[in-house]
């Protein structure tokens, strides 16, 4: 009986669902706890995006830098490898947007007393950050395939993060930038597919 | 599965080779990168410019071919744990099944734990890494293997014998091995493919012999089918009885050797 329970909780899908439920609970608790502190309503959203962007950049880099060669050695062909990577990346974005929607909904319910969403949250920033996430993930993927040295890659991560933070503080034409980064991420996605089909590992 | 390679160019070599089903073949070159490049093409990992086919299909990134073969470079780290349940779980992403009993038995035979530092993670010594790679390779129930650097980091004769016995055993239908120590594979391979010093790729059968001369012999005699020139000149043994009698009369120094003894006469590159 104990073994069956252990086996059940070891399944990846069970772990994933548990983490999602835990995250939803933590968002709820953070809203209740910080209700009185009058913090910036978007603070948690920036934290979520910041985390997934950084993780996505690093994950993508390591996926191609180290994992790709082992995957093809053990029987995964390049197309399947790229499809799986794309699915994972888009899934991360989808889950993030789900958490953010849930947070906005709860915020309206608990704190904002049903004020309009656009009065509290700058939606153009979330669109901008979503395109940044995709762009950086695909860029990390590209750097990994090109075997960029870690000594160059990690300082670059800090520079890019700093630039994104500064852009959020000082730039206002974010819809235009979102479209630009959206196009860049599509181009990077296509470029990555072409490179991974043809490059010698 | 007969693997056909036609007019594949690697560096200055033009390769034409057929690898038959149920063959155990070795690839030997004085330059390790040439062996690596060929094995990466043969395993379908890198492009072959329409020169490598199996059953008429190009093997590059070929899903069906990939599902029937495994490629290992024993220089690389594939595992960071000895916990079979974790390994089994991780291998599900690759649609691979682990024969846990076999894995555990090989780990015990090789005493992998003696080559592992177990703290909050498993750290294998270079020898331990080779051990664990072999254990994993032999436990994945794939019939066709391509292995580079199979004996890397090993020092003991018992380990060489164990590895060569496993890699050339009947558990694998076919094996293509990038040879790092040729003498350890004595009598265990069907053929060895040599990349000669003269830009030729030559396949030699297990029982064929080679002939070794002093390295200035070609100033006085025309030596055909040369393979290597270093400390000695090594060529294929296609000599006739008349040639041998002539050399004996003219007191030419030569020695007929097994192809597995070639490394003793190679000298520095």
């Amino acid at each position: 009986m104990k073994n069956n329970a252990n086996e059940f909780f070891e399944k990846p899908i069970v772990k994933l669902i548990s983490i999602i439920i835990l995250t939803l609970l933590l968002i709820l608790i953070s809203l209740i706890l910080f209700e009185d502190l009058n913090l910036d309503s978007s603070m948690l959203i920036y934290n979520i995006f910041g985390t997934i962007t950084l993780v996505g950049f690093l994950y993508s880099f390591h996926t191609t830098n180290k994992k790709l060669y082992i995957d093809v050695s053990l029987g995964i062909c390049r197309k399947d490898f790229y499809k799986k990577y794309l699915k994972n990346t888009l899934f991360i974005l989808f889950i993030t947007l789900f958490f953010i929607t849930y947070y906005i909904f709860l915020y309206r319910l608990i704190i904002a007393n049903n004020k309009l969403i656009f009065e509290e949250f700058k939606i153009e920033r979330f669109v901008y950050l979503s395109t940044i996430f995709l762009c950086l993930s695909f860029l990390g993927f590209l750097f990994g395939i090109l075997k960029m040295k870690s000594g160059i890659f990690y300082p670059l991560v800090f520079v890019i993060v700093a630039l994104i933070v500064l852009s959020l503080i000082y730039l206002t034409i974010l819809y235009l930038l979102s479209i630009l980064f959206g196009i860049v991420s599509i181009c990077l996605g296509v470029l990555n597919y072409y490179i991974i089909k043809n490059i010698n590992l | 599965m007969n693997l056909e390679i036609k007019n594949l160019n690697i560096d200055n070599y033009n390769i034409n080779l057929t690898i038959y089903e149920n063959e155990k073949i070795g690839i030997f070159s004085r330059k390790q990168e040439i062996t690596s490049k060929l094995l990466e093409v043969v395993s379908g990992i890198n492009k072959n410019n329409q020169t490598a086919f199996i059953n008429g299909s190009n093997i590059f990134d070929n899903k069906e071919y990939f599902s029937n073969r495994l490629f290992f470079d024993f220089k690389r780290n594939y595992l960071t744990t000895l916990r079979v349940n974790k390994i089994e779980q991780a291998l599900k992403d690759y649609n691979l099944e682990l024969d846990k009993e076999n894995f555990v038995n090989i780990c015990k035979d090789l005493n992998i734990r003696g080559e592992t530092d177990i703290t909050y993670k498993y750290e294998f010594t270079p020898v331990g890494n080779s051990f664990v790679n072999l254990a994993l390779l032999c436990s994945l129930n794939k019939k066709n293997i391509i292995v580079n650097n199979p004996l890397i980091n090993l020092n003991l004769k018992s380990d060489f014998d164990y590895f060569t016995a496993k890699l050339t055993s009947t558990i694998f239908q076919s094996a293509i091995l990038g040879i790092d120590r040729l003498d350890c594979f004595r009598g265990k391979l069907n053929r060895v493919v040599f990349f000669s010093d003269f830009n030729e790729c030559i396949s030699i059968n297990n029982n064929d012999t080679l002939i070794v001369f002093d390295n200035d012999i070609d100033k006085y005699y025309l030596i055909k089918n040369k393979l290597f020139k270093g400390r000695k000149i090594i060529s294929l043994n296609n000599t006739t009885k008349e040639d041998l009698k002539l050399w004996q009369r003219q007191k030419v120094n030569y020695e007929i050797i097994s192809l597995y003894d070639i490394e003793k006469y190679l000298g520095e590159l």
Side-chain angles (χ1 to χ4, degrees):
Chain A
M1 175 101 174
K2 194 178 174 186
N3 278 337
N4 286 339
N6 279 340
E7 268 180 41
F8 177 75
F9 285 113
E10 284 295 318
K11 287 183 185 173
I13 189 77
V14 172
K15 283 183 184 174
L16 181 64
I17 292 171
S18 314
I19 288 166
I20 290 172
I21 293 171
L22 191 63
T23 308
L24 294 174
L25 204 60
L26 284 171
I27 290 173
L28 174 64
I29 291 168
S30 71
L31 268 170
I32 295 168
L33 283 177
F34 296 126
E35 187 184 347
D36 297 330
L37 294 178
N38 279 328
L39 291 173
D40 185 345
S41 55
S42 301
M43 188 65 67
L44 185 66
I45 296 173
Y46 293 146
N47 284 335
I48 290 172
F49 267 117
T51 306
I52 63 148
T53 302
L54 194 60
V55 167
F57 195 28
L58 294 169
Y59 160 74
S60 302
F61 176 75
H62 285 289
T63 293
T64 37
N65 200 18
K66 295 202 186 329
K67 196 168 175 290
L68 174 59
Y69 193 90
I70 291 176
D71 279 15
V72 292
S73 302
L74 295 180
I76 306 288
C77 63
R78 294 177 186 213
K79 281 178 206 159
D80 288 348
F81 175 86
Y82 190 61
K83 268 190 222 167
K84 188 177 177 185
Y85 165 76
L86 270 184
K87 260 200 302 191
N88 286 345
T89 304
L90 292 172
F91 179 74
I92 292 168
L93 184 61
F94 169 74
I95 286 286
T96 304
L97 293 173
F98 169 71
F99 286 146
I100 286 162
T101 310
Y102 168 78
Y103 169 76
I104 291 173
F105 171 75
L106 277 186
Y107 189 91
R108 279 188 67 212
L109 208 60
I110 297 171
I111 296 175
N113 295 319
N114 291 322
K115 275 188 204 167
L116 287 172
I117 296 172
F118 298 108
E119 283 180 19
E120 285 293 331
F121 298 100
K122 291 177 184 153
I123 304 293
E124 66 269 20
R125 291 189 168 202
F126 307 150
V127 174
Y128 171 68
L129 287 170
S130 301
T131 56
I132 289 281
F133 162 74
L134 282 175
C135 223
L136 282 182
S137 294
F138 292 152
L139 199 63
F141 191 92
L142 180 64
F143 288 161
I145 300 177
L146 299 176
K147 300 280 178 220
M148 182 181 270
K149 289 184 181 160
S150 304
I152 301 172
F153 177 74
Y154 289 112
L156 194 60
V157 169
F158 285 114
V159 168
I160 289 174
V161 165
L163 285 172
I164 293 169
V165 169
L166 288 171
S167 71
L168 275 172
I169 296 169
Y170 292 113
L171 292 176
T172 50
I173 19 170
L174 287 176
Y175 270 127
L176 196 62
L177 279 175
S178 302
I179 292 168
L180 181 67
F181 280 115
I183 293 170
V184 168
S185 50
I186 291 169
C187 292
L188 278 173
V190 170
L191 177 67
N192 284 340
Y193 179 69
Y194 176 76
I195 290 178
I196 206 167
K197 256 182 72 176
N198 294 294
I199 198 167
N200 274 345
L201 300 178
Chain B
M1 58 164 210
N2 290 351
L3 183 57
E4 304 257 353
I5 300 172
K6 287 181 183 165
N7 293 318
L8 171 67
N9 290 317
I10 292 177
D11 290 9
N12 296 322
Y13 296 93
N14 181 268
I15 302 162
N16 289 284
L17 188 60
T18 302
I19 299 168
Y20 300 101
E21 208 170 340
N22 300 323
E23 258 200 318
K24 310 283 192 304
I25 79 164
I27 312 288
F28 182 86
S29 170
R30 294 176 87 178
K31 291 179 191 167
Q32 182 51 238
E33 61 266 23
I34 292 175
T35 306
S36 299
K37 281 180 188 175
L38 177 62
L39 290 181
E40 283 167 354
V41 167
V42 159
S43 58
I45 287 176
N46 283 338
K47 289 191 114 174
N48 55 63
N49 298 320
Q50 303 296 325
T51 57
F53 297 88
I54 192 162
N55 299 330
S57 303
N58 194 312
I59 60 171
F60 172 61
D61 211 37
N62 183 321
K63 205 169 180 172
E64 197 186 333
Y65 178 62
F66 274 33
S67 64
N68 287 315
R69 69 92 176 110
L70 277 175
F71 173 71
F72 267 68
D73 185 345
F74 277 18
K75 209 169 49 177
R76 290 180 178 254
N77 300 325
Y78 292 90
L79 287 181
T80 53
T81 182
L82 287 176
R83 292 184 186 161
V84 285
N85 290 332
K86 276 202 165 184
I87 298 170
E88 190 184 33
Q89 190 64 39
L91 288 172
K92 283 183 180 166
D93 286 345
Y94 300 95
N95 299 319
L96 292 171
E97 281 181 28
L98 181 72
D99 183 343
K100 288 197 258 191
E101 196 183 329
N102 196 17
F103 184 83
V104 167
N105 287 338
I106 295 174
C107 289
K108 278 185 190 160
D109 289 346
L110 292 169
N111 188 22
I112 287 178
R113 285 186 179 269
E115 297 289 342
T116 309
D117 192 12
I118 303 174
T119 53
Y120 66 96
K121 58 177 182 171
Y122 288 79
E123 275 193 41
F124 301 113
T125 62
V127 175
N129 187 55
S130 291
F131 286 178
V132 86
N133 286 343
L134 181 73
L136 180 63
L137 178 69
C138 295
S139 310
L140 292 177
N141 298 328
K142 288 283 181 183
K143 294 295 173 194
N144 304 301
I145 59 167
I146 301 157
V147 182
N148 200 8
N149 303 306
L151 304 180
I152 198 167
N153 302 320
L154 303 181
N155 297 303
L156 302 177
K157 187 177 180 307
S158 55
D159 292 337
F160 292 141
D161 291 342
Y162 190 91
F163 270 58
T164 53
K166 280 283 183 201
L167 291 170
T168 57
S169 69
T170 52
I171 59 171
F172 301 116
Q173 205 170 57
S174 72
I176 304 169
L177 307 171
I179 303 290
D180 37 8
R181 283 181 214 248
L182 194 50
D183 58 337
C184 297
F185 287 91
R186 190 180 300 273
K188 293 184 174 131
L189 301 169
N190 298 109
R191 283 191 285 159
V192 179
V193 175
F194 287 97
F195 286 90
S196 76
D197 288 347
F198 302 94
N199 298 328
E200 282 185 311
C201 176
I202 297 170
S203 173
I204 301 176
N205 289 326
N206 178 45
N207 294 320
D208 287 348
T209 52
L210 304 174
I211 191 159
V212 180
F213 300 97
D214 292 337
N215 74 352
D216 59 349
I217 189 73
D218 49 355
K219 287 181 193 169
Y220 312 107
Y221 296 91
L222 174 64
I223 304 294
K224 294 177 195 169
N225 302 313
K226 285 185 285 191
L227 283 177
F228 299 106
K229 184 173 180 178
R231 218 158 44 84
K232 302 279 186 180
I233 289 180
I234 305 168
S235 71
L236 295 178
N237 186 11
N238 293 332
T239 49
T240 59
K241 280 186 183 170
E242 286 72 31
D243 287 334
L244 288 175
K245 279 181 187 167
L246 175 68
W247 289 337
Q248 279 166 355
R249 259 188 275 131
Q250 293 183 353
K251 297 198 174 141
V252 171
N253 281 333
Y254 71 89
E255 191 180 348
I256 294 173
I257 62 166
S258 158
L259 61 96
Y260 296 102
D261 290 324
I262 205 170
E263 283 163 307
K264 291 181 205 165
Y265 300 93
L266 280 177
E268 294 292 319
L269 185 61

